[in-house]
Amino acid sequence: MIVDFRTRPPFKSWKKLRIWGERPKNPDPVTASGLFQNIEPYRSYEEKSMDAFMEEMDEAEIDVAVVMGRQAPDFHGNVPAEEVAELVDTYPGRFVGFGGVSGTDLDAGLKEIDRCVEFGFKGVAFDNGWCDPPMYDDDERLFPLYEKCQELGLIASITSSIYVGPDISYSMPVHIHRVAQRFQDLTIVVPHAGFPWGELMCGIAFHRPNIYLIPDIYLNVPNLPGAGQFVRSANSFLSYRLLYASSYPVRPLGQSL
């Protein structure tokens, strides 16, 4: 079985996320983001089509994809829990849902975690660097949310990379390390795996067995600096705790796999 642990399919509010914006067809190799270079064409992105997405999912032999909600300022886009649940119900057996929670309003966040349970979601997605104001992952105001996830047996997905937060300090692995040490029974997955702090992130996963890394695009893009550290770790202590993800639509499903 192949599980793609993070996709943002062309379904309702996901199509409004910033990553679904226009991108150059022939990117300038000097100035364009490396994420958007050397990409094979894929119809699901061009047409924003769920039918095409499901076909591409089948062609890549991906059995199940994890989809995550989001609560963030409008600039980044939001995906409500109701739409995550609707997608999961529309395609039975093909998607696993996580709800999105923001630490900006603690009471609302705690209530949203309850709703995640009601919808049957397996986890909760945090994009803490995009809170308003931005929060580090180990901000103590987030601790009641992590504690509730731990009590309910929900996975905490904490996205961490240079793109999440006002500057690179928000992706430093020490913040997730402190959370993992404080909540040792909380299963933590880290989409983007703290890029560009790959070696340090592998180091804290070596120390804390409740951390699972999802390098996604930062492992899939050819020759990206730091990718080798994830490969070495996957061939050693991280062999059961490195999770595959395409981070679609940043790059196509088949090419990423």
Side-chain angles (χ1 to χ4, degrees):
M1 173 180 284
I2 298 177
V3 176
D4 185 335
F5 215 93
R6 196 175 195 230
T7 67
R8 281 69 63 90
F11 186 82
K12 296 199 170 183
S13 293
W14 277 287
K15 293 189 289 185
K16 299 176 183 178
L17 297 180
R18 209 175 97 187
I19 54 171
W20 274 99
E22 293 296 323
R23 62 179 73 158
K25 293 185 180 299
N26 297 297
D28 182 336
V30 177
T31 60
S33 170
L35 297 177
F36 302 134
Q37 298 185 26
N38 303 310
I39 294 180
E40 299 171 356
Y42 49 123
R43 186 166 66 90
S44 62
Y45 173 78
E46 295 295 332
E47 300 178 4
K48 293 186 176 179
S49 164
M50 271 305 296
D51 289 341
F53 177 86
M54 298 307 296
E55 290 175 8
E56 291 165 11
M57 195 172 164
D58 290 339
E59 289 169 2
E61 299 183 350
I62 296 169
D63 298 284
V64 177
V66 177
V67 290
M68 301 185 184
R70 174 178 292 170
Q71 290 191 3
D74 290 341
F75 175 71
H76 300 289
N78 290 275
V79 179
E82 290 83 358
E83 293 185 11
V84 177
E86 183 180 351
L87 178 67
V88 171
D89 290 342
T90 302
Y91 300 92
R94 301 307 301 274
F95 295 99
V96 172
F98 279 42
V101 170
S102 171
T104 302
D105 184 329
L106 177 59
D107 289 338
L110 292 170
K111 291 177 181 177
E112 192 66 20
I113 292 175
D114 285 331
R115 296 180 74 231
C116 290
V117 174
E118 292 170 5
F119 280 121
F121 297 158
K122 302 300 183 183
V124 174
F126 296 87
D127 297 284
N128 299 320
W130 288 341
C131 288
D132 186 16
M135 302 172 75
Y136 288 104
D137 295 323
D138 58 345
D139 191 306
E140 291 192 4
R141 290 172 292 177
L142 294 165
F143 284 5
L145 301 175
Y146 296 144
E147 185 173 10
K148 187 159 191 174
C149 289
Q150 179 175 258
E151 291 173 355
L152 295 172
L154 295 169
I155 299 167
S157 171
I158 305 176
T159 303
S160 177
S161 80
I162 195 170
Y163 287 104
V164 183
D167 59 53
I168 197 172
S169 69
Y170 284 78
S171 62
M172 292 178 68
V174 63
H175 303 300
I176 290 179
H177 190 208
R178 289 169 179 159
V179 175
Q181 293 210 101
R182 175 72 176 260
F183 303 98
Q184 297 188 13
D185 294 324
L186 176 65
T187 297
I188 300 169
V189 300
V190 189
H192 298 344
F195 180 84
W197 307 95
E199 185 169 5
L200 292 178
M201 191 61 76
C202 289
I204 70 166
F206 181 86
H207 182 244
R208 288 299 333 148
N210 54 330
I211 294 175
Y212 292 68
L213 300 183
I214 311 175
D216 51 65
I217 46 181
Y218 301 106
L219 181 60
N220 304 341
V221 175
N223 301 317
L224 199 66
Q229 301 297 335
F230 297 115
V231 175
R232 292 178 62 189
S233 299
N235 285 321
S236 177
F237 68 93
L238 207 61
S239 58
Y240 292 95
R241 290 189 287 125
L242 188 137
L243 307 178
Y244 169 72
S246 63
S247 202
Y248 175 98
V250 180
R251 296 178 75 83
L253 297 173
Q255 186 180 14
S256 295
L257 187 58

